Amino acid sequence: QQIATTLGCSRIQVSRTLQQARAEGIVEIKIRYNNFHPETEARLHGAFPGVSFKVVDSFEGSTSALHKALAAATGTYLETFLPKNATVGVGWGSTLHAVANYLPYQVSAARFLPLVGGQSQLGIQYHASSVASTMAQRTGGSTETLLAPAVAATQEEKQSFVAARQVSDVIDEAAACSYAIFSVGAPFSASSTLRRVGYFSVDDIELLKREKAACDIISAVYFNSDGERCAENLATRMVGVSDSQRQSIGTKICVAG
């Protein structure tokens, strides 16, 4: 009605014009998932001072709808708060893959760097380097590829990778980022990408089960349902930015749902 009043026409004319514009790709309508649950956000902020929360609703309740809502909210946040020429460390997974494909083009000239390796051909679109590349392409930014697996088979293998200059340079640059964006994985949830990315051996998965891992952050740290660290042997074989380095990054954006 506001558009019709401004243009001096009827609501039906506005509706038809918008429908035609959408069909021709001239107009794109997006829901801005913001400020839907201010009371919940305030309670969370009260429980965790110093942390800002944005709570979104998937409406439909499906995993794909949740990813879309999270991606839209994250895209809006980055468009609003990410400064030009920012450096952003990027995690991996299906949630961040959705975020990358929803980023607005207004986020410009940022540099996106993978926080963790990933060389398997399985689920390649979920790897940190792939997600960082998509973010860079959508925003006109730049990126680098971390040419190493996410998790090495042994400590010796990890050291051989990080000894390579093309690997260590990317890790060092990612660790020095001003921003980091990552998700919290639930290794054994129905929607987990754990089995789709080929990062973990059968023994690794059995270790996670045995130690009752409930979540992880970029494969650099694992927690059980009591919030205690677990699967330390697996975490130390991760090739990328360590958990202590991630914690040192100034602004951390965790997308979880």
Side-chain angles (χ1 to χ4, degrees):
Q1 182 60 54
Q2 288 179 326
I3 297 174
T5 301
T6 301
L7 297 179
C9 60
S10 69
R11 293 176 61 181
I12 293 177
Q13 287 177 303
V14 171
S15 177
R16 288 175 177 171
T17 301
L18 285 175
Q19 288 178 1
Q20 182 178 351
R22 289 183 67 184
E24 295 177 1
I26 299 172
V27 171
E28 182 179 1
I29 298 175
K30 292 182 179 180
I31 299 173
R32 298 182 76 90
Y33 295 84
N34 198 17
N35 295 325
F36 280 175
H37 301 279
E39 293 180 358
T40 303
E41 292 171 359
R43 289 199 301 271
L44 287 168
H45 182 70
F48 302 94
V51 180
S52 175
F53 291 89
K54 293 295 179 184
V55 179
V56 302
D57 196 323
S58 66
F59 299 115
E60 298 175 15
S62 66
T63 298
S64 61
L66 176 61
H67 279 172
K68 183 176 181 179
L70 288 169
T74 305
T76 299
Y77 178 87
L78 292 176
E79 180 183 0
T80 304
F81 294 104
L82 196 68
K84 191 174 182 179
N85 299 317
T87 52
V88 186
V90 179
W92 68 277
S94 58
T95 302
L96 288 191
H97 169 67
V99 169
N101 285 288
Y102 212 94
L103 277 184
Y105 289 98
Q106 290 87 341
V107 180
S108 61
R111 184 159 172 78
F112 299 92
L113 297 153
L115 292 170
V116 59
Q119 285 187 316
S120 168
Q121 293 304 305
L122 296 174
I124 192 169
Q125 68 271 30
Y126 303 130
H127 296 189
S129 289
S130 297
V131 174
S133 177
T134 300
M135 288 182 171
Q137 289 173 11
R138 282 195 57 89
T139 63
S142 61
T143 188
E144 294 288 345
T145 299
L146 185 50
L147 299 173
V151 180
T154 64
Q155 286 289 346
E156 291 74 21
E157 183 179 80
K158 173 183 176 176
Q159 293 308 315
S160 68
F161 277 110
V162 297
R165 184 70 177 270
Q166 66 267 34
V167 172
S168 62
D169 282 355
V170 176
I171 293 175
D172 290 344
E173 187 177 0
C177 282
S178 301
Y179 295 79
I181 180 169
F182 50 88
S183 60
V184 175
F188 303 110
S189 71
S191 60
S192 174
T193 54
L194 177 74
R195 300 179 188 277
R196 286 184 275 169
V197 294
Y199 289 174
F200 306 99
S201 68
V202 173
D203 289 341
D204 291 336
I205 293 174
E206 287 303 315
L207 172 64
L208 291 172
K209 289 180 178 178
R210 191 166 58 250
E211 301 210 5
K212 300 180 179 179
C215 71
D216 78 281
I217 301 175
I218 62 167
S219 304
V221 59
Y222 299 84
F223 298 96
N224 61 25
S225 57
D226 293 322
E228 300 168 335
R229 289 176 179 253
C230 64
E232 295 276 8
N233 175 269
L234 183 57
T236 57
R237 288 190 275 120
M238 187 274 289
V239 182
V241 173
S242 68
D243 187 54
S244 61
Q245 288 175 314
R246 178 190 61 83
Q247 291 184 50
S248 296
I249 293 175
T251 301
K252 292 171 281 292
I253 304 165
C254 180
V255 187

